[in-house]
Amino acid sequence: IAAVDLGYDVLKFFPAHLFGGTKTLQTYASLFQYIKFCPTGGINASNAKEYLALPNVISVGGSWLAPKDLIEKNDWYAITKLAKQSQL
């Protein structure tokens, strides 16, 4: 509510999976009709499309796109491959 009062219309929703995931965002769609969300936390390749199908979700974020171990190894090829596979 404070963010809306300040004029924000795009908000991060974190941690999405702990705060009810898509069910909560569906409820928010009717309560906050002009607000878009970027859910993160618990988002992965298998559920990202479910989130993105919601009318009030503008984007998603998830560490599956660039896992820490691949970053530490500088394995940019593997990270690029994951990103390409995740094109939704």
Side-chain angles (χ1 to χ4, degrees):
I1 300 294
V4 172
D5 288 344
L6 290 171
Y8 293 98
D9 58 3
V10 179
L11 303 173
K12 182 176 180 179
F13 181 61
F14 173 83
H17 69 292
L18 292 181
F19 290 132
T22 57
K23 289 183 181 183
T24 297
L25 286 167
Q26 287 170 337
T27 300
Y28 286 177
S30 63
L31 297 174
F32 306 107
Q33 297 175 7
Y34 302 103
I35 304 299
K36 300 290 184 188
F37 293 92
C38 173
T40 64
I43 312 299
N44 55 53
S46 65
N47 66 9
K49 285 184 182 182
E50 183 180 350
Y51 280 91
L52 289 168
L54 298 174
N56 61 337
V57 171
I58 194 167
S59 62
V60 297
S63 58
W64 88 93
L65 289 169
K68 185 176 179 178
D69 63 320
L70 295 180
I71 293 171
E72 289 172 351
K73 294 181 203 174
N74 293 323
D75 192 345
W76 311 120
Y77 175 80
I79 292 171
T80 299
K81 186 175 176 182
L82 284 172
K84 286 181 179 180
Q85 290 171 345
S86 296
Q87 289 182 9
L88 307 169

